[in-house]
């Protein structure tokens, strides 16, 4: 029995899968395409609900994984089945022998520049959720002058067939509301507006976040998708939307506009799909033959999924799925 | 008769210039909500007394159960929404036929104290 397992991606799902496998007595090798572990979480500040420190979560996982090989700046180039599992060739030319493979390649953040009408990369005062999170994380936000009016645009690159993403990214509603509350905590006198189509506060504690944003922080919610943003002569952002609840067009001048970039398929999914011969769906996320009963299974035996490689997921879901994938690997490798 | 004499009484150059409105045209007022100039003072004033107003999720339960709404345009949801957007007069119109029966309070999923908010709005108009 081959006790080696290869994990693709050192984000939260990959790290948790590796940790659970390590605890089950397997020898894990993690491949990471970037130069550090933690994935998107290493750039995030606080996680909802409960304002958990994002870097703390990653640091705990990494320290628990002490002794596990994490190969940075590494990608897969070829993989073939052997009698004993898989032989996978990596970008350094080295060949890795493993009994099973866990794909935890995660997602890519939607490039907000594609939605040109919002002016990201054009107007100075238009930033993304990731940019704002970086400002929170570096504490740079406290050096900023108070913006009198801040707007959040939900569904940027999500639920938008114009950019080939029909899916909902699932997490942005809560992220927007969380960030809106954080802005109000820093600047209680700033006016904050969230432009949404639907508020999908689906999980436990999420609706409470919304309730708190309304009752405690007085965040304004406007149902309507922002159609365009422009810059006025003072460099402020002029936003146009329809207030669909009063059925009137609406205009507001903002000091800061935050775009909630959604989760899209990892740009490397195509390569991974070709290397391992596992298909992706129309949306570019990996295809799950049995999403309801065995969400971690691929249609190739010995290859499993964890986290948002198979679609937008919260951190908690990714962690759970990583544990499930580790158990599935264990069951698979214990057969012989 | 000198040339031009006949025309003279008909063209009066000293007369006030007629606007297009006299010909049936008019300039429409913008229906756009301009949040830069919208006055939210009434909304904030009510919110300081009845903070519940902020927690409306615009579900429409209040208007759906409203006894008056079957006959006259009445909507608690519409009223507080319009106050939030700075249209205080419009909000009062939404509540003209309200009989303060309190059904909206019973059905509101957020438990908003609708009756007190309605009274605040009516008082604001009287005051």
């Amino acid at each position: 029995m081959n006790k080696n397992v290869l994990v693709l991606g050192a984000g939260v799902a990959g790290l948790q899968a590796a940790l659970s496998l390590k605890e089950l007595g397997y020898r894990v090798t993690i491949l990471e395409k970037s130069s550090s572990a933690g994935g998107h979480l290493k750039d995030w500040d606080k996680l909802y609900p409960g304002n958990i420190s994002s870097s703390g979560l990653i640091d705990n996982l990494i320290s628990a994984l002490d002794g596990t090989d994490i190969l940075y700046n590494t990608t897969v180039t070829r993989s073939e089945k052997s009698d004993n599992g898989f032989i996978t060739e990596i970008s350094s030319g080295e060949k890795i022998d493993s009994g099973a493979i866990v794909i935890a390649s995660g997602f890519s953040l939607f490039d907000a520049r594609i939605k040109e009408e919002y002016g990201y990369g054009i107007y100075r005062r238009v930033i993304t959720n990731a940019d704002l999170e970086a400002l929170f994380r570096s504490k740079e936000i406290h050096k900023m002058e108070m913006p009198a009016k801040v707007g959040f645009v939900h569904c940027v690159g999500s639920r938008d067939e114009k950019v080939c993403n029909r899916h909902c990214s699932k997490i942005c509603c809560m992220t927007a509301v969380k960030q809106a509350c954080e802005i109000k905590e820093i600047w209680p006198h700033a006016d904050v507006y969230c432009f949404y189509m639907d508020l999908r506060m689906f999980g436990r504690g999420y609706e409470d976040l919304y309730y708190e944003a309304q009752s405690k922080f007085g965040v304004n919610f406007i149902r309507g998708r922002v159609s365009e943003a422009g810059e006025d002569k003072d460099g402020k952002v002029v936003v146009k939307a329809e207030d669909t609840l009063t059925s009137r067009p609406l205009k507001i001048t903002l000091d800061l506009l935050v775009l909630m970039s959604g989760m899209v398929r990892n740009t490397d999914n195509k390569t991974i799909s070709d290397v391992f011969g596992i298909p992706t769906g129309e949306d570019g996320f990996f295809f799950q033959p049995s999403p309801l009963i065995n969400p971690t299974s691929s249609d190739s035996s010995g290859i499993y999924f964890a986290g948002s490689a198979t679609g937008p997921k919260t951190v908690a879901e990714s962690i759970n799925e990583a544990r499930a994938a580790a158990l599935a690997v264990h069951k698979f490798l214990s057969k012989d | 008769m000198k040339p031009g004499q006949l025309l003279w009484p008909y063209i009066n150059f000293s007369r006030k210039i007629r606007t297009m409105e006299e010909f049936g045209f008019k300039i429409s007022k913008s229906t756009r909500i301009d949040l830069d100039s919208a006055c939210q003072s009434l909304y904030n004033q009510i919110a300081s007394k009845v903070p519940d107003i902020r927690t409306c999720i615009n579900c429409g339960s209040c208007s759906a159960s409203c006894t008056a709404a079957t006959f006259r345009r009445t909507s608690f949801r519409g009223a507080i929404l319009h106050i939030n957007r700075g249209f205080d007069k419009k909000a009062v119109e939404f509540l003209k036929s309200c009989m303060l029966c309190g059904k909206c309070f019973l059905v509101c999923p957020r438990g908003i104290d609708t009756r007190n908010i309605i009274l605040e709005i009516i008082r604001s108009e009287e005051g």
Side-chain angles (χ1 to χ4, degrees):
Chain A
M1 163 184 169
N2 193 336
K3 288 285 258 183
N4 298 321
V5 181
L6 183 66
V7 174
L8 264 60
V12 66
L15 293 174
Q16 179 62 55
L19 179 61
S20 299
L21 284 163
K22 187 190 166 196
E23 286 166 353
L24 287 165
Y26 293 89
R27 202 183 158 276
V28 186
T29 307
I30 307 174
L31 303 186
E32 170 55 45
K33 72 170 170 186
S34 76
S35 55
S36 57
H40 292 275
L41 285 193
K42 68 174 183 286
D43 306 322
W44 233 248
D45 183 39
K46 296 272 176 59
L47 305 172
Y48 59 81
N51 279 343
I52 311 276
S53 158
S54 177
S55 54
L57 193 152
I58 290 298
D59 291 345
N60 285 344
L61 278 173
I62 293 173
S63 63
L65 273 167
D66 190 35
T68 304
D69 287 336
I70 306 181
L71 307 178
Y72 295 106
N73 305 310
T74 305
T75 52
V76 285
T77 50
R78 252 165 58 93
S79 182
E80 54 190 38
K81 284 206 168 171
S82 66
D83 302 338
N84 206 13
F86 301 86
I87 303 288
T88 308
E89 196 180 304
I90 59 173
S91 48
S92 63
E94 199 185 327
K95 282 182 177 165
I96 295 174
D97 170 37
S98 65
I101 291 168
V102 176
I103 294 173
S105 54
F107 66 95
S108 291
L109 211 56
F110 175 76
D111 180 1
R113 283 173 305 184
I114 297 169
K115 289 295 285 179
E116 212 178 341
E117 57 267 45
Y118 295 154
Y120 181 63
I122 303 170
Y123 309 131
R124 208 168 46 87
R125 290 171 183 268
V126 179
I127 63 172
T128 64
N129 44 1
D131 297 335
L132 183 60
E133 208 65 34
L135 286 171
F136 287 142
R137 199 172 143 76
S138 63
K139 312 269 185 252
E140 287 285 317
I141 195 115
H142 299 284
K143 293 180 195 155
M144 277 170 61
E145 198 185 321
M146 181 187 108
K149 284 179 176 170
V150 183
F152 286 85
V153 186
H154 293 226
C155 303
V156 176
S158 310
R159 304 180 72 193
D160 187 350
E161 295 195 33
K162 284 279 159 64
V163 293
C164 306
N165 295 327
R166 193 186 295 141
H167 68 272
C168 162
S169 290
K170 199 176 188 180
I171 57 153
C172 333
C173 278
M174 284 73 69
T175 308
V177 172
K178 181 207 77 150
Q179 292 185 337
C181 294
E182 284 174 306
I183 289 278
K184 286 291 274 188
E185 260 173 353
I186 300 169
W187 298 296
H189 296 295
D191 289 325
V192 179
Y193 300 86
C194 285
F195 292 90
Y196 68 97
M197 292 198 286
D198 293 296
L199 275 175
R200 299 183 161 182
M201 316 297 287
F202 65 93
R204 190 178 189 189
Y206 301 169
E207 185 70 18
D208 305 71
L209 210 66
Y210 174 34
Y211 184 78
E212 197 180 63
Q214 287 183 310
S215 58
K216 186 175 163 194
F217 295 107
V219 174
N220 294 288
F221 288 89
I222 294 168
R223 198 184 78 182
R225 192 179 190 121
V226 169
S227 65
E228 59 180 310
E231 206 173 44
D232 72 0
K233 63 183 192 315
D234 305 316
K236 293 189 176 184
V237 189
V238 183
V239 154
K240 285 179 189 170
E242 192 202 341
D243 176 16
T244 59
L245 293 171
T246 55
S247 301
R248 286 166 187 244
L250 179 147
K251 183 204 100 179
I252 185 168
T253 310
L254 301 165
D255 300 271
L256 187 66
L257 184 66
V258 187
L259 308 179
M260 305 311 296
S261 279
M263 295 165 110
V264 295
R265 77 245 164 276
N266 189 323
T267 41
D268 294 324
N269 277 8
K270 184 78 184 64
T271 318
I272 297 168
S273 161
D274 290 344
V275 166
F276 295 104
I278 43 169
T280 57
E282 199 185 49
D283 54 7
F285 288 102
F286 287 108
F287 171 71
Q288 295 160 290
S290 172
L292 199 70
I293 297 158
N294 289 313
T296 60
S297 299
S298 74
D299 64 1
S300 180
S301 78
I303 301 181
Y304 296 89
F305 300 121
S308 53
T310 50
K313 286 190 185 86
T314 65
V315 172
E317 285 166 341
S318 296
I319 289 176
N320 275 339
E321 216 177 80
R323 289 186 176 125
L327 278 181
V329 167
H330 180 56
K331 192 177 162 194
F332 173 72
L333 291 179
S334 307
K335 258 190 246 168
D336 24 276
Chain B
M1 191 199 291
K2 286 176 189 169
Q5 207 173 14
L6 193 72
L7 286 171
W8 186 246
Y10 299 99
I11 303 173
N12 182 358
F13 293 105
S14 64
R15 204 177 55 188
K16 204 180 147 195
I17 295 166
R18 302 174 80 179
T19 64
M20 292 304 279
E21 275 166 316
E22 289 176 54
F23 298 98
F25 292 93
K26 60 178 182 182
I27 297 167
S28 305
K29 256 188 161 178
S30 170
T31 57
R32 185 168 75 177
I33 299 172
D34 188 347
L35 282 182
D36 298 333
S37 56
C39 175
Q40 290 188 314
S41 62
L42 177 61
Y43 185 82
N44 291 328
Q45 184 195 317
I46 296 172
S48 67
K49 290 178 187 162
V50 195
D52 294 2
I53 194 172
R54 292 196 189 281
T55 63
C56 174
I57 51 173
N58 282 289
C59 68
S61 297
C62 48
S63 328
S65 63
C66 179
T67 37
T70 323
F71 307 102
R72 294 279 170 94
R73 195 171 182 207
T74 310
S75 170
F76 174 75
R77 179 194 71 83
I80 61 173
L81 181 70
H82 279 81
I83 291 176
N84 180 269
R85 308 293 195 250
F87 301 109
D88 299 352
K89 277 193 183 145
K90 188 118 191 165
V92 177
E93 278 172 36
F94 274 113
L95 296 173
K96 256 188 183 158
S97 306
C98 171
M99 299 171 289
L100 288 170
C101 71
K103 269 179 94 175
C104 47
F105 186 22
L106 286 177
V107 295
C108 178
R110 288 280 214 202
I112 295 172
D113 183 355
T114 55
R115 215 188 292 201
N116 262 324
I117 292 171
I118 294 166
L119 287 171
E120 285 296 335
I121 295 169
I122 293 167
R123 269 187 216 124
S124 78
E125 197 204 15
E126 288 166 350

